[in-house]
Amino acid sequence: MTESFRRSGEYPQGQQHAQSSYPGTPEAGGAFPPPPAYDPPQPVNAAPGSAMWPAPTPEGSPAPPARRRRVRGPLGLLAAVAIAAAAVGGGTAYAFQELTGKQSTSASAGTSVVPTSQKGTVSGVAAAVSPAIVEINATSNAGSSTGSGVVITSDGEIVTNNHVVSGASTVKVRTSDGKTYTAEVVGTDAKKDLALIKLKNASGLKTASLGDSDNVKVGDEVVAIGSPEGLTGTVTSGIVSALDRDVTVSTDEEQQQQQGGDGRWPFEFGGQQFNGDTGSSKTTYKAIQTDASLNPGNSGGALIDMNGNIIGINSAMYSASSDSGSGSSGAGSVGLGFAIPVNTVKADLDSLRSGGTSGS
């Protein structure tokens, strides 16, 4: 029950007597006692003027400093964690994720998904991101092909290259824990060599953090994760060796099925054709160049910065014999790989979710 404030002189006789009999009060002819060495506790429910309420400050004396109320409970804990995380810059989102258990499908530049103790290490990036990278096996009339993909939602949306699933009649996906799912193609964009597939009956999947490719610089260390030659979860590392490379790929679905069966996708770079004929219907995009080893099967996999953020989707590789047209799968990487910038992926997601474009 809320107590009303009593005016001076309205207190009960017994309480007034108790106040006047205190030694040193003006009523007893003495001076005020010296202030205590610490602020006395102030009961929350005490009525003003009661014996539990601190005496009013005499006129002319400075008012005591206001006591700051301490926030308790879960809100106080969250606030403390947020303040501490803000002090270390990019760790804010990671601290919140660790506290709440929630995962984000995209992140701003500087956010780290790698634990602080392993930040900046290839092993730390691999441990944090590998669970979000999958192997894709697509079957079409032209045969079967193997590629990789990046999980972007916990219920199974996966970004990959268009040429990995182009014309596929069936698509199977294997996650890092060995589980196999059937997937359907949601949308494709041949002009950007991107596709979105969706797993059936999937939930609780580990998702990747999409970074900001506009902040990528030549010389930045990177990690590539994919399934070269069907070797699921293979990790390689290197640097960004160039930016804005013009890579040309075919947009002809029939051409894709004929040339892409062995995982060596035909493309043009520097006026030359590699891995076969790109055909007459083609498109050019700006790519991130990397010397991280990429091999057949890496297509659609992730190029990752040292904070664990996806900065590109690996799409093409050059090998010493890839211009011979022999189709030999023995040709490996010589340190010239290309990835579609992740900002291109993010800008295309809404279109892919609605079915994408034909690319014609």
Side-chain angles (χ1 to χ4, degrees):
M1 181 175 68
T2 303
E3 298 184 12
S4 61
F5 183 76
R6 299 177 184 268
R7 294 183 180 179
S8 177
E10 293 182 355
Y11 289 95
Q13 184 65 30
Q15 189 175 19
Q16 193 174 25
H17 175 73
Q19 290 180 345
S20 61
S21 62
Y22 185 85
T25 60
E27 293 84 352
F32 281 95
Y38 60 92
D39 291 339
Q42 298 181 7
V44 176
N45 296 321
S50 67
M52 297 180 66
W53 190 268
T57 303
E59 291 187 13
S61 300
R67 294 175 61 84
R68 181 174 297 176
R69 186 175 180 183
R70 181 176 299 173
V71 180
R72 300 180 182 273
L75 290 178
L77 176 60
L78 284 173
V81 170
I83 292 171
V88 293
T92 305
Y94 176 73
F96 181 80
Q97 176 177 316
E98 288 294 301
L99 182 65
T100 62
K102 295 182 179 180
Q103 296 173 349
S104 173
T105 59
S106 62
S108 60
T111 298
S112 178
V113 298
V114 180
T116 302
S117 61
Q118 296 179 299
K119 190 174 181 180
T121 65
V122 174
S123 59
V125 173
V129 185
S130 289
I133 311 302
V134 300
E135 177 184 305
I136 299 174
N137 293 284
T139 303
S140 68
N141 294 333
S144 61
S145 62
T146 299
S148 305
V150 178
V151 180
I152 61 171
T153 64
S154 60
D155 62 349
E157 280 189 345
I158 296 171
V159 172
T160 186
N161 286 141
N162 175 60
H163 72 257
V164 170
V165 296
S166 178
S169 54
T170 61
V171 178
K172 297 288 186 180
V173 173
R174 184 167 64 173
T175 55
S176 64
D177 58 4
K179 293 181 180 179
T180 301
Y181 297 85
T182 299
E184 60 180 2
V185 178
V186 176
T188 61
D189 188 343
K191 290 187 179 297
K192 296 182 177 68
D193 196 17
L194 291 172
L196 183 71
I197 65 175
K198 177 72 162 55
L199 304 185
K200 296 181 179 179
N201 303 317
S203 63
L205 300 180
K206 170 72 174 180
T207 60
S209 172
L210 305 184
D212 185 352
S213 51
D214 287 345
N215 289 333
V216 174
K217 297 179 179 61
V218 174
D220 284 351
E221 293 181 273
V222 290
V223 174
I225 304 178
S227 299
E229 306 291 356
L231 300 174
T232 305
T234 296
V235 178
T236 58
S237 65
I239 64 168
V240 172
S241 52
L243 297 171
D244 298 325
R245 293 300 201 196
D246 289 329
V247 173
T248 300
V249 297
S250 173
T251 59
D252 187 331
E253 184 173 295
E254 183 176 346
Q255 188 81 6
Q256 294 168 4
Q257 292 183 39
Q258 293 174 355
Q259 300 287 344
D262 62 356
R264 299 173 63 249
W265 182 238
F267 69 98
E268 293 180 21
F269 173 70
Q272 300 183 61
Q273 289 189 341
F274 304 96
N275 300 338
D277 184 12
T278 53
S280 58
S281 178
K282 47 197 173 185
T283 187
T284 300
Y285 60 84
K286 298 288 186 180
I288 299 171
Q289 180 180 309
T290 179
D291 70 350
S293 179
L294 302 179
N295 292 282
N298 272 114
S299 291
L303 189 67
I304 312 156
D305 67 18
M306 299 309 289
N307 287 323
N309 297 309
I310 311 299
I311 59 169
I313 299 297
N314 298 320
S315 59
M317 53 152 285
Y318 167 80
S319 61
S321 62
S322 65
D323 56 349
S324 66
S326 64
S328 172
S329 61
S333 172
V334 294
L336 284 176
F338 304 94
I340 302 167
V342 75
N343 285 3
T344 299
V345 178
K346 292 192 289 187
D348 207 31
L349 273 179
D350 287 343
S351 175
L352 291 173
R353 284 171 171 148
S354 63
T357 60
S358 63
S360 58

